[in-house]
Amino acid sequence: RAGLRRLFALQIKDALKYLEKNIPDLQKMAVAYMPLGTAEELRQQIIDVALDRAFLTDPLPANEADFKQRTDEGRARLTLIANEIARLAGTILTEHATAARKIKDTKNAPEATRDAAEQLQRLVPKNFLSITPWAALQHFPRYLKAIVMRLDKLRADPARDAQRMADARAQEQRYWRLVAERKGHVDARMQELRWLLEELRVSLFAQELRTPQPVSVKRLDKVWGQL
């Protein structure tokens, strides 16, 4: 896929040159991205994801005629797609900064803040745009808002937070153990489970933000049974 992406990039050099110079709000985003990496790394991720979404939809082209047709189709929608990715990246980085600040400002709750910081790191590493499936990425602003809401509620009932954290972590540890056993090979079912774990945290700590489907420890146990 990376080789094919490179081939498409070589076909549309001019369009790419234009895009590199015209990613909306890149400088502003780069400031929010500074704790993670450089503006250049952020730009490259946005472009790579845009190329993937514009050109590498399945089934991939397997001959010259299909490749040419895909080049024309992808070129026509590339800028629109890149703008959409940049908009989402900007929203995620803003929410990331808010969550990081909240973690830092929450005093006298070392367990909860450490747990929230680990979740933040897992969700938004340096290359978060390029390693996260597009469908999951669209939910990131809600996941990050949930971290802030959780820490807002913490003081009212620390014991409840601790109990819910124990429930969430038990599920997560089970999942990451399985990932390690499978040497990082994650199939579609495990991918689905990965994002259900984030939805579980929303439903445990910030129900007001709603989840696309009902999620509970019981429901996750059922998914585990099927796995």
Side-chain angles (χ1 to χ4, degrees):
R1 290 180 81 91
L4 195 52
R5 185 204 296 146
R6 179 85 182 112
L7 282 179
F8 280 119
L10 290 168
Q11 300 299 311
I12 56 155
K13 277 186 183 157
D14 292 349
L16 270 188
K17 224 175 229 150
Y18 173 82
L19 195 58
E20 281 170 3
K21 290 192 176 78
N22 292 284
I23 291 171
D25 291 332
L26 183 69
Q27 288 324 112
K28 190 175 151 195
M29 278 193 280
V31 174
Y33 185 72
M34 261 163 64
L36 303 169
T38 65
E40 196 40 58
E41 286 164 330
L42 179 62
R43 187 205 317 266
Q44 197 52 55
Q45 277 189 83
I46 292 170
I47 286 168
D48 284 349
V49 176
L51 287 168
D52 278 1
R53 290 194 54 229
F55 296 99
L56 299 189
T57 47
D58 290 323
L60 296 173
N63 57 49
E64 187 184 5
D66 288 354
F67 180 76
K68 278 187 169 155
Q69 187 186 344
R70 185 67 64 87
T71 303
D72 293 341
E73 289 167 0
R75 189 199 299 268
R77 57 183 181 224
L78 182 66
T79 303
L80 209 61
I81 287 173
N83 288 348
E84 186 190 3
I85 293 161
R87 253 198 316 276
L88 181 58
T91 306
I92 291 170
L93 287 167
T94 302
E95 296 294 349
H96 175 270
T98 307
R101 203 161 45 244
K102 189 76 189 170
I103 290 166
K104 203 170 154 212
D105 292 347
T106 303
K107 305 287 183 242
N108 307 323
E111 275 298 306
T113 50
R114 192 174 78 227
D115 180 60
E118 283 170 9
Q119 182 192 1
L120 192 63
Q121 231 166 352
R122 250 193 333 264
L123 275 175
V124 190
K126 182 182 204 165
N127 55 347
F128 75 97
L129 276 176
S130 51
I131 62 167
T132 311
W134 177 249
L137 207 56
Q138 292 171 76
H139 296 287
F140 272 36
R142 188 165 47 87
Y143 298 156
L144 296 167
K145 276 192 172 85
I147 293 174
V148 175
M149 279 185 134
R150 171 197 179 177
L151 296 176
D152 278 338
K153 295 176 184 177
L154 185 62
R155 197 178 295 157
D157 196 342
R160 185 180 60 185
D161 184 272
Q163 178 53 57
R164 291 179 174 180
M165 176 167 68
D167 289 343
R169 294 191 87 150
Q171 294 286 341
E172 287 164 354
Q173 280 161 355
R174 183 159 67 161
Y175 173 79
W176 293 110
R177 252 201 314 274
L178 185 59
V179 172
E181 275 168 29
R182 294 187 174 185
K183 298 190 167 48
H185 177 70
V186 177
D187 60 19
R189 291 305 303 277
M190 283 182 72
Q191 191 71 264
E192 182 193 345
L193 187 58
R194 162 73 188 97
W195 302 113
L196 277 175
L197 291 169
E198 293 301 334
E199 294 296 348
L200 177 68
R201 280 181 170 268
V202 174
S203 94
L204 290 173
F205 295 115
Q207 280 146 328
E208 310 89 315
L209 293 175
R210 304 279 177 83
T211 55
Q213 71 232 63
V215 188
S216 64
V217 169
K218 220 181 222 164
R219 196 168 276 252
L220 273 168
D221 284 339
K222 201 172 161 187
V223 177
W224 270 105
Q226 292 163 351
L227 254 186

